[in-house]
């Protein structure tokens, strides 16, 4: 059984799904799967997932197989693994890759700290790749850390947006609709194979449009946009102490809330907590100062948290200066240090750029420069363009 919309169709809303005859299949055998909802945690050994990832991605038209194509510099397959790993009741995730890509895959698992993954060699067709994964689960070999599951979810490695609710639906349907005597060794690779060769009742579970498959180049662009949108939903504004006197940081925060009206803009009072809640965007406001003490403190915290392992974190160091009436001289020199900071930060997947906001006495002019600053901040967060790191933008 498989889930999700037809392969190759465009994405609608962000977020994963599985589906019938494409997307995530659930080849299932099993006993009472109704247990999975409430008891998923304690029945952890019952579900495994097999991810076919042995294709060459001909239709993508690039030399790299699509599962290894980068999105925000991270291979597509890593996003799919991340989506499955989030589901605590999936005990084992078996990935089928070609022999030539085995080392690449091991490197991805290590770099992005994926857990519960085992690798098997892919076959010459998708079905054969799946079959190899199922065999690894069926074989009760001594010294094998894999245990035979009750249900196996089959999910294309190139469908990065899959969520727990649809996986649960499919696993539950697998139990309710049969497959109970099915021997995984000779089991269903796909729903039509199950129907053709086995006397099982099978159920097609409707997925959502989010389960589209990355097939063509345009799909990579779509996936990147979805991911960027997802990680731009929270912005944290960190203020320095001078802010209490000047209030411009709060004005900027208010304007950001208006500009990014669907985005949660929070003040960074409890930075540790905000980082834990996976906020990937920080605006560090430095009122009337050109040094980077506050920004540096923030960079250190982000680095220590490992937040940037999976996604690039955007940090914008904002400096309010009345640069029309006060000669910049030494101050400017200090601000230019941003290039060095940014080069270091980039090594840790932190995209640091600077923003100089004109701070005139006149209210009207100040509002205008705040508005411009807001537009620039919003673009830096939404675009996540690493070409702009280390740049000092002026509003
Ligand atoms: N021998 C194969 C062929 C495909 N797949 C996997 O099956 C999934 C869905 O297949 P498809 O979109 O057709 O991928 P490709 O075969 O790589 O693409 P194309 O048909 O464009 O070459 C992909 O994750 C792909 O890596 C596999 O594991 N083993
Ligand atoms: O060749 P298409 O891109 O239409 O689909 C590939 C299918 O094999 C894949 O989507 C599976 O999920 C279907 O079982």
């Amino acid at each position: 059984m498989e889930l999700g919309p037809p392969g190759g169709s465009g994405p609608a809303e962000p977020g994963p799904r599985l589906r019938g005859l494409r997307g995530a299949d659930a080849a299932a055998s099993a006993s009472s799967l109704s247990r999975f909802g409430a008891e998923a945690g304690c029945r952890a050994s019952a579900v495994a997932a097999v991810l076919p990832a042995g294709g060459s991605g001909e239709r993508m038209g690039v030399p790299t197989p699509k599962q290894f194509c980068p999105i925000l510099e991270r291979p597509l397959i890593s996003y799919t693994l991340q989506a499955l790993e989030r589901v605590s009741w999936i005990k084992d995730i078996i990935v089928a890759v070609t022999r030539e890509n085995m080392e690449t895959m091991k490197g991805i698992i290590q770099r992005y700290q994926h857990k519960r993954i085992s690798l098997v060699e892919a076959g010459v067709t998708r079905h054969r790749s799946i079959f190899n994964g199922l065999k690894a689960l069926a074989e009760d070999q001594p010294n094998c850390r894999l245990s035979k599951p009750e249900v196996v979810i089959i999910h294309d490695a190139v469908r990065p947006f899959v969520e727990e609710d649809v996986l649960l639906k499919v696993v539950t349907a697998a139990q309710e609709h049969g497959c109970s005597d099915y021997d995984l060794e000779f089991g269903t690779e796909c729903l039509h194979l199950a129907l053709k060769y086995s006397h099982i009742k099978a159920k097609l579970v409707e997925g959502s449009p989010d389960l589209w498959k990355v097939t063509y180049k345009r799909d990579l662009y779509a996936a990147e946009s979805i991911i960027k949108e997802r990680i731009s939903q929270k912005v944290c504004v960190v203020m320095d102490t001078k802010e209490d006197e000047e209030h411009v940081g709060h004005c900027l925060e208010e304007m950001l809330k208006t500009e990014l009206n669907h985005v949660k803009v929070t003040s960074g009072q409890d930075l540790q907590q905000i980082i834990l809640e996976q906020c990937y965007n920080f605006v560090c406001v430095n009122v009337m100062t050109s040094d980077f003490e506050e920004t540096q403190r923030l960079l250190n915290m982000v680095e220590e948290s490992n937040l940037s392992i999976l996604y690039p974190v955007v940090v914008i160091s904002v400096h309010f200066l009345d640069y029309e009436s006060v000669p910049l001289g030494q101050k400017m020199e200090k601000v230019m240090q941003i290039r060095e900071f940014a080069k270091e930060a980039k090594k840790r997947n932190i995209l640091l750029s600077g923003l100089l906001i004109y701070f005139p006495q006149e209210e009207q002019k100040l509002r205008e420069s705040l508005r411009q600053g807001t537009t620039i901040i919003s673009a830096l967060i939404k675009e996540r363009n690493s070409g702009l790191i280390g740049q000092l933008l002026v509003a």
Side-chain angles (χ1 to χ4, degrees):
M1 171 175 326
E2 301 180 304
L3 320 146
S9 68
E13 292 298 307
R17 290 299 109 105
L18 297 176
R19 80 176 169 117
L21 276 192
R22 282 141 200 257
D25 326 23
S29 78
S31 51
S32 57
L33 282 170
S34 46
R35 301 187 294 255
F36 281 105
E39 297 174 30
C42 41
R43 297 202 42 80
S45 67
V47 182
V50 169
L51 269 68
S56 56
E58 251 175 64
R59 284 168 289 178
M60 179 72 67
V62 296
T64 308
K66 58 192 176 186
Q67 55 276 28
F68 301 118
C69 284
I71 297 182
L72 295 177
E73 298 183 17
R74 176 154 68 104
L76 172 63
I77 191 168
S78 169
Y79 291 90
T80 315
L81 291 178
Q82 187 191 351
L84 289 171
E85 275 172 337
R86 279 197 303 246
V87 182
S88 58
W89 44 263
I90 298 179
K91 193 193 171 210
D92 290 304
I93 301 168
I94 319 295
V95 184
V97 280
T98 58
R99 193 180 300 177
E100 62 172 342
N101 285 314
M102 207 51 95
E103 286 310 309
T104 304
M105 194 63 226
K106 283 181 189 164
I108 292 170
I109 292 167
Q110 198 179 18
R111 172 154 186 200
Y112 300 104
Q113 302 183 3
H114 293 300
K115 304 280 182 307
R116 307 178 339 247
I117 316 284
S118 301
L119 300 182
V120 297
E121 201 172 317
V124 289
T125 64
R126 176 180 181 268
H127 288 164
R128 289 199 183 278
S129 295
I130 293 166
F131 190 59
N132 290 352
L134 293 176
K135 273 199 297 185
L137 286 167
E139 285 159 6
D140 267 337
Q141 301 157 340
N143 304 326
C144 177
R145 60 157 207 94
L146 298 171
S147 50
K148 200 167 175 172
E150 294 177 36
V151 175
V152 183
I153 293 166
I154 312 283
H155 181 69
D156 288 335
V158 289
R159 294 182 193 262
F161 307 117
V162 60
E163 273 173 8
E164 182 165 357
D165 59 345
V166 78
L167 290 168
L168 188 58
K169 258 192 227 163
V170 137
V171 167
T172 307
Q175 188 270 323
E176 283 170 5
H177 292 270
C179 312
S180 55
D181 293 325
Y182 200 71
D183 182 339
L184 281 173
E185 174 79 30
F186 305 101
T188 61
E189 296 156 31
C190 255
L191 180 58
H192 69 274
L193 292 187
L195 290 171
K196 193 167 173 190
Y197 294 110
S198 329
H199 302 288
I200 59 154
K201 289 176 274 168
K203 164 85 176 158
L204 187 65
V205 176
E206 196 55 45
S208 90
D210 308 334
L211 253 183
W212 55 285
K213 177 165 69 64
V214 173
T215 303
Y216 301 99
K217 216 168 178 184
R218 60 172 183 254
D219 297 320
L220 272 185
Y221 303 140
E224 179 172 313
S225 298
I226 290 170
I227 291 162
K228 279 183 178 172
E229 193 187 350
R230 285 182 174 191
I231 58 179
S232 301
Q233 295 307 304
K234 281 187 216 160
V235 178
C236 172
V237 182
V238 186
M239 316 266 182
D240 71 2
T241 43
K242 280 260 178 59
E243 169 53 17
D244 294 341
E245 298 156 33
E246 303 290 350
H247 304 296
V248 276
H250 287 295
C251 292
L252 182 70
E253 190 176 330
E254 287 313 309
M255 279 196 187
L256 273 174
K257 281 182 185 162
T258 316
E259 169 103 8
L260 308 163
N261 59 6
H262 58 287
V263 171
K264 195 175 162 208
V265 180
T266 48
S267 301
Q269 266 122 4
D270 187 354
L271 263 178
Q272 293 289 9
Q273 186 55 31
I274 287 164
I275 288 172
L276 271 180
E277 287 165 9
Q278 295 177 335
C279 174
Y280 295 101
N281 310 287
F282 296 87
V283 176
C284 192
V285 176
N286 305 279
V287 180
M288 310 305 281
T289 163
S290 50
D291 63 45
F292 288 96
E293 233 171 81
E294 201 67 22
T295 306
Q296 189 63 60
R297 200 174 69 86
L298 173 66
L299 290 172
N300 290 345
M301 278 176 92
V302 171
E303 188 186 348
E304 280 162 22
S305 70
N306 284 343
L307 183 70
S308 57
I309 287 185
L310 293 181
Y311 298 107
V313 174
V314 169
V315 175
I316 304 161
S317 190
V318 176
H319 302 264
F320 281 97
L321 292 176
D322 183 359
Y323 52 76
E324 296 255 298
S325 48
V326 182
L328 284 177
Q330 208 187 354
K331 277 186 180 165
M332 197 65 194
E333 258 173 47
K334 268 191 178 177
V335 181
M336 292 312 286
Q337 289 172 357
I338 187 121
R339 292 182 188 198
E340 293 312 309
F341 283 118
K343 221 188 275 171
E344 282 308 303
K346 179 69 178 67
K347 292 180 190 157
R348 285 131 30 205
N349 206 17
I350 300 171
L351 308 180
L352 171 66
S353 36
L355 174 61
L356 206 59
I357 299 187
Y358 176 38
F359 190 6
Q361 299 303 315
E362 200 188 311
E363 173 82 19
Q364 191 55 34
K365 280 189 179 167
L366 176 61
R367 290 202 76 74
E368 184 48 36
S369 55
L370 281 170
R371 234 186 310 273
Q372 275 184 22
T374 305
T375 308
I376 294 172
I377 291 170
S378 162
L380 288 170
I381 289 172
K382 286 184 186 160
E383 297 304 327
R384 288 189 137 66
N385 188 335
S386 60
L388 289 175
I389 63 156
Q391 294 302 306
L392 187 62
L393 301 154
V394 180

